Amino acid sequence: MSTPFMHPDSRIFVAGHRGLVGSAIHRALVDLGYTNILTRTHQQLDLGDEVAVDAFFTREKPDFVFLAAARVGGILANSTYPADFIRDNLILQTNVIESSRIAGVKRLLFLGSSCIYPRLAPQPIKEEYLLTGPLEPTNRPYAIAKIAGIEMCWSYNRQYGTHYLAAMPTNLYGPGDNFDLANSHVLPALIRKTAEAHAAGERQIIVWGTGNPRRELLYSGDLAQACCFLMNLDEERFGSLLAADVPPLINIGTGEDITIRELAETVARVLDFDGRLVFDHSKPDGTPQKLMDSSRIHSLGWRHTTTLEDGIRRTWEAVRDLTG
Ligand SMILES: NC(=O)c1ccc[n+]([C@@H]2O[C@H](COP(=O)([O-])OP(=O)(O)OC[C@H]3O[C@@H](n4cnc5c(N)ncnc54)[C@H](OP(=O)(O)O)[C@@H]3O)[C@@H](O)[C@H]2O)c1
């Protein structure tokens, strides 16, 4: 293996280090032995404040930036606050990208998402499908902001010779996930429903839809390792991801998907729930399949290592420890 590009005492800023993604990146960096990790809570540094962000970068001079701060939310939040989603993300990412340029940051990893690819993109979704079709209407303002972030990384690379890359993770789960049933993704919702049914001694849980849609899920710790792996690529391989004629982005997934039914069964097994799973066909299924093509990152030598069962167990243990 080649020498990691980030030196053990490099100054590394993890923006959004308390979020699902940022906290996993922070843990991964600590595990890898990095000692100069810069963090600020939202309260300490509002990344929407241009002057404060500029002062922070000027003072701290980070060498590397993981941009995992964003305003994120489910369908309900996105449809209730569309203006906040587009404005806050555009401002926050613009401030961090521009301040990174001024401060001479060596590499920046911008967190994109599989949900900003076209709604009806062929499966598995390849990087080149970005901007090839209409977006999912429910999170369009968020997606447009994120796409603008990728476009900024690409434009900065061309105009200023920067090295900014966008990571496009598939659906994530892990410690620190959102378990609020009104606004959570399918896996935390299943974990919560199953745990509550188990605790109450109930004999069944209701799962939305037919159980047939297929989903790909990646453990946040695996994503974090992929992010560190990318930032540590040697110049030649990192440079190969920043060709001038295509956007600088790379999918991060497992390459495998499972049905919601299999997912619910796995959660039940891990949480030791032996009641019935009842599928409520009157509820919407959503898109039939969502699977990323992760062959680009696989060809560079990275693969996920956490099995779904292990990932669910760790996520469940983390939330159980928090709630007692
Ligand atoms: N979760 C997924 O399944 C998933 C999948 C693919 C991609 N991603 C991408 O990964 C990134 C991070 O997502 P996440 O799930 O980790 O979100 P998250 O858990 O909500 O974390 C986002 C973090 O950003 C911080 N933040 C937001 N606005 C800020 C501001 N103005 N100043 C400073 N900090 C601010 C938040 O702090 P506060 O909470 O204090 O505001 C929070 O700690 C996003 O770009 C998302 O698109 C996530």
Side-chain angles (χ1 to χ4, degrees):
M1 212 188 112
S2 55
T3 321
F5 191 80
M6 295 191 293
H7 194 264
D9 58 11
S10 291
R11 299 174 68 73
I12 305 172
F13 177 40
V14 183
H17 74 289
R18 298 222 281 204
L20 174 67
V21 172
S23 63
I25 292 175
H26 187 265
R27 281 193 296 276
L29 288 168
V30 170
D31 288 348
L32 287 168
Y34 289 100
T35 51
N36 257 328
I37 308 170
L38 308 168
T39 57
R40 292 292 184 277
T41 63
H42 191 159
Q43 215 182 8
Q44 290 167 327
L45 175 64
D46 177 3
L47 296 171
D49 180 340
E50 183 185 348
V51 174
V53 174
D54 189 47
F56 169 77
F57 272 78
T58 306
R59 195 173 56 245
E60 300 294 345
K61 297 190 177 46
D63 301 304
F64 298 94
V65 172
F66 291 85
L67 180 35
R71 178 186 268 268
V72 299
I75 294 178
L76 185 65
N78 268 276
S79 59
T80 314
Y81 307 108
D84 295 358
F85 274 83
I86 189 161
R87 182 199 57 228
D88 291 354
N89 284 306
L90 281 173
I91 294 175
L92 174 163
Q93 68 205 28
T94 300
N95 288 345
V96 175
I97 289 172
E98 172 65 359
S99 290
S100 294
R101 174 189 76 78
I102 295 168
V105 163
K106 295 188 180 94
R107 286 181 181 176
L108 175 146
L109 193 70
F110 174 74
L111 267 295
S113 172
S114 58
C115 69
I116 69 176
Y117 280 115
R119 188 166 66 95
L120 300 174
Q123 308 286 320
I125 306 170
K126 295 178 191 293
E127 286 87 351
E128 50 265 36
Y129 297 163
L130 191 73
L131 284 174
T132 56
L135 299 166
E136 164 62 41
T138 50
N139 70 349
R140 208 180 129 95
Y142 174 82
I144 299 264
K146 285 278 163 191
I147 292 169
I150 296 170
E151 197 73 26
M152 277 188 82
C153 289
W154 190 16
S155 305
Y156 273 58
N157 291 346
R158 297 204 307 276
Q159 185 174 335
Y160 297 116
T162 51
H163 298 89
Y164 299 167
L165 176 67
M168 303 285 271
T170 190
N171 303 305
L172 301 171
Y173 70 98
D177 218 333
N178 173 10
F179 287 86
D180 172 6
L181 282 182
N183 220 347
S184 58
H185 291 132
V186 59
L187 181 54
L190 281 174
I191 292 178
R192 177 160 174 184
K193 275 189 197 173
T194 309
E196 288 179 352
H198 189 266
E202 284 164 17
R203 297 304 307 147
Q204 66 174 43
I205 60 163
I206 311 282
V207 183
W208 275 31
T210 62
N212 295 331
R214 304 189 69 85
R215 293 289 179 269
E216 179 186 23
L217 290 144
L218 179 68
Y219 183 61
S220 59
D222 284 346
L223 168 72
Q225 282 171 8
C227 291
C228 295
F229 168 86
L230 289 169
M231 288 289 250
N232 269 328
L233 283 175
D234 58 57
E235 292 203 48
E236 191 187 331
R237 289 191 302 161
F238 195 82
S240 73
L241 300 171
L242 308 184
D245 55 344
V246 286
L249 69 160
I250 186 159
N251 288 345
I252 307 179
T254 61
E256 301 153 10
D257 58 1
I258 63 166
T259 64
I260 299 292
R261 175 182 294 276
E262 290 164 329
L263 186 61
E265 288 167 355
T266 310
V267 171
R269 212 164 40 245
V270 172
L271 272 64
D272 217 11
F273 174 72
D274 60 2
R276 259 175 8 113
L277 303 176
V278 178
F279 290 87
D280 179 355
H281 291 227
S282 71
K283 293 289 193 299
D285 259 350
T287 170
Q289 188 187 28
K290 236 183 111 186
L291 177 64
M292 307 265 271
D293 182 330
S294 296
S295 46
R296 189 173 287 177
I297 193 162
H298 287 165
S299 71
L300 289 167
W302 178 85
R303 275 184 188 271
H304 74 288
T305 53
T306 308
T307 64
L308 188 60
E309 278 207 33
D310 276 349
I312 292 173
R313 186 167 295 112
R314 286 184 216 169
T315 306
W316 164 234
E317 284 168 0
V319 72
R320 197 185 48 192
D321 291 349
L322 274 182
T323 55

